[in-house]
Amino acid sequence: MRSRSDGFFSKPSLKSRNTIFTLGQRGAILSPVELEGPILVPHTAQRGDSRYPYETLFRSQHYALLDNGCREFLFLSDFFMVAGNSALDLFNSIMGKTLSMFLKSMSTYVSDCYDSIAVFLCIHIILRFRAITAKRTIPALDKYWEAVLELLWPRFEMILEMNIHSIRNTDPQKLGVLDTRPHYITRRYAEFSSAIVSINQTFPNERTNALLGQLQVEVENFVLKMAAEFPSRRDQLIFLINNYDMMLSVLMERAADDSKEVEGFQQLLLARTQEFIEEILSSPFGGMIAFVKEAEGLMEKGQLDRLKNEEARITQLVRGFSSTWKQSVEAMSQDVMRSFTNFKNGTSIIQGALTQLIQYYHGFHKILNQPTFRSLAVRSELINLHHLMVEVKKHKPNF
């Protein structure tokens, strides 16, 4: 049983990687093989050392109820030759106390349960069992299934709302020293959200989707608040990219590629990656980039001649790039690979930065080919674009 204090912000235990926020193999209970598998026999189960999560006991108990309830209803209908409400009344007179005991026991457990994955799995077990009895055209347990769902849904929603409020109200400064690696809270959210999304995909529920949407918004805001604790924009971006990438990786293990959660973090990761690429290019190549953007803006207005007296600036940019670009690219590549925890993501960022660099240099070429600058002697010192692309490929990391 988990206490109220267990939330996204409790420190992860070193003893076990399994928490109430991870699905692990628990979702297998919804597979047809396990859903309708043999029930647990208490005295046999007690002989072993196995421990069972609540949803496993719940599944076993309710599969026994489903099987015996259907048989009992059919026997009563045949033996007493009753049908419709008469058959239901007879069934309830025999099984009513048992069903009431089940509900009372479940109400006691649920009232003190903070394991939302267990509650959600139980909801989906009931949804499937209800479908089985409907397929068998046995109405005997319909009201019981509804009563169970009326117990479980509010509790599940309440736990989700508690997590939403806990994230909304947290203060990043109380979480200790931060570094740019993925934070345990964002990993915990990603594991939890991917668990709920993957279960919910089978029997979609709009209320669950809405709550997950609220949770995602709060987590996005929380990550931004944590990033703001870093003094430099560069470190803020590294932190954001590392956390978005980690959350996306965890979500994509279970959630569909077109889920709102996956699409949302893909967009955030792309936007911050593009910003980071501009950030790391600005230090070694900022002068050239600024000139290209300024000249392109003037070209659109037909005012490029306003830069015709900038020969000294252009000469410095051409020669500066030619003499330092290799060292700058090497240093940039090493810095990126040290900054990102996901090697593949770091490699992708380097490739994106080198591609962007070539595009800027291509733009630099085009500008100096304009009539305004054709007479500049320094144009002969420009690096051939094809040669630059061949050389840049040597700096792309292989994996």
Side-chain angles (χ1 to χ4, degrees):
M1 193 72 67
R2 297 281 174 170
S3 69
R4 181 181 293 270
S5 62
D6 277 326
F8 281 129
F9 301 98
S10 57
K11 288 283 186 181
S13 169
L14 296 177
K15 295 181 180 178
S16 173
R17 295 180 62 87
N18 296 320
T19 75
I20 58 172
F21 302 105
T22 57
L23 185 60
Q25 298 302 312
R26 295 169 71 182
I29 201 163
L30 299 177
S31 67
V33 174
E34 290 202 24
L35 189 69
E36 300 183 58
I39 65 170
L40 294 173
V41 181
H43 64 271
T44 304
Q46 284 177 342
R47 291 175 191 161
D49 295 328
S50 299
R51 294 176 62 85
Y52 300 97
Y54 179 75
E55 65 271 10
T56 299
L57 305 177
F58 181 92
R59 196 281 320 173
S60 178
Q61 175 185 343
H62 283 84
Y63 187 62
L65 174 63
L66 181 153
D67 203 36
N68 286 288
C70 289
R71 293 175 190 276
E72 183 70 15
F73 183 78
L74 291 173
F75 169 77
L76 293 174
S77 300
D78 289 344
F79 187 81
F80 292 103
M81 294 182 290
V82 290
N85 288 333
S86 298
L88 291 173
D89 289 342
L90 184 57
F91 177 85
N92 288 328
S93 68
I94 295 169
M95 297 289 290
K97 288 185 178 180
T98 300
L99 299 181
S100 295
M101 183 191 70
F102 279 8
L103 288 172
K104 185 177 180 181
S105 172
M106 207 179 316
S107 177
T108 302
Y109 170 80
V110 167
S111 65
D112 194 38
C113 174
Y114 294 90
D115 184 350
S116 52
I117 291 178
V119 176
F120 201 48
L121 285 170
C122 291
I123 288 171
H124 279 263
I125 288 168
I126 293 299
L127 292 174
R128 286 159 174 75
F129 283 172
R130 186 173 66 178
I132 291 172
T133 53
K135 188 176 180 180
R136 294 180 185 178
T137 63
I138 305 291
L141 293 169
D142 287 357
K143 287 187 177 180
Y144 176 76
W145 299 142
E146 292 304 319
V148 174
L149 292 174
E150 286 174 9
L151 271 177
L152 297 176
W153 273 119
R155 186 65 189 183
F156 172 71
E157 291 174 0
M158 191 201 83
I159 301 170
L160 247 64
E161 286 168 353
M162 288 173 63
N163 283 320
I164 290 168
H165 291 307
S166 70
I167 291 180
R168 181 183 300 149
N169 298 328
T170 195
D171 181 357
Q173 293 185 346
K174 295 181 179 178
L175 295 174
V177 178
L178 291 176
D179 59 37
T180 57
R181 293 173 296 178
H183 198 274
Y184 76 86
I185 290 172
T186 53
R187 172 170 288 279
R188 185 168 285 177
Y189 156 76
E191 290 171 344
F192 174 75
S193 185
S194 67
I196 300 301
V197 168
S198 63
I199 297 169
N200 196 51
Q201 285 170 349
T202 53
F203 274 83
N205 176 266
E206 285 308 311
R207 173 65 176 156
T208 302
N209 288 334
L211 287 168
L212 285 174
Q214 290 178 38
L215 184 60
Q216 182 177 347
V217 168
E218 296 302 334
V219 168
E220 289 173 11
N221 291 337
F222 174 71
V223 172
L224 290 173
K225 284 195 292 184
M226 286 199 292
E229 296 295 307
F230 294 95
S232 73
R233 184 58 181 163
R234 178 185 174 282
D235 284 346
Q236 290 176 2
L237 289 169
I238 293 171
F239 177 81
L240 290 171
I241 291 169
N242 274 330
N243 279 275
Y244 291 151
D245 177 62
M246 179 275 297
M247 289 190 281
L248 191 58
S249 298
V250 173
L251 281 164
M252 289 183 73
E253 289 177 8
R254 296 189 183 276
D257 290 349
D258 60 351
S259 70
K260 290 180 181 178
E261 289 76 14
V262 169
E263 288 183 349
F265 284 114
Q266 281 176 333
Q267 291 172 5
L268 288 169
L269 179 61
L270 179 61
R272 297 291 77 79
T273 299
Q274 289 298 329
E275 186 182 348
F276 181 75
I277 285 172
E278 294 293 332
E279 182 80 16
I280 59 174
L281 289 175
S282 67
S283 179
F285 308 110
M288 181 193 71
I289 293 169
F291 177 80
V292 168
K293 289 180 178 179
E294 181 184 359
E296 286 176 345
L298 290 171
M299 280 173 63
E300 288 179 7
K301 300 174 184 176
Q303 301 173 357
L304 192 59
D305 285 349
R306 289 171 60 178
L307 296 176
K308 64 182 179 181
N309 297 322
E310 296 276 5
E311 183 176 354
R313 177 185 176 192
I314 293 169
T315 300
Q316 183 183 13
L317 291 175
V318 171
R319 291 175 179 170
F321 184 90
S322 298
S323 63
T324 64
W325 79 266
K326 285 187 179 181
Q327 302 95 300
S328 297
V329 165
E330 185 62 36
M332 183 175 69
S333 298
Q334 292 178 4
D335 182 44
V336 168
M337 296 311 292
R338 283 195 301 267
S339 299
F340 295 98
T341 52
N342 181 344
F343 178 78
K344 189 173 181 180
N345 187 43
T347 300
S348 176
I349 290 171
I350 292 171
Q351 292 179 345
L354 295 178
T355 300
Q356 188 66 43
L357 176 62
I358 290 172
Q359 288 177 352
Y360 279 130
Y361 200 68
H362 182 232
F364 194 43
H365 263 263
K366 285 175 65 177
I367 291 162
L368 297 190
N369 280 333
Q370 297 300 311
T372 305
F373 303 114
R374 278 183 187 160
S375 61
L376 294 180
V378 78
R379 286 179 65 246
S380 63
E381 298 179 35
L382 283 168
I383 299 173
N384 176 273
L385 203 60
H386 178 70
H387 175 71
L388 179 65
M389 292 172 69
V390 172
E391 287 294 313
V392 159
K393 282 184 179 179
K394 297 177 183 178
H395 291 270
K396 286 186 177 181
N398 297 314
F399 63 96

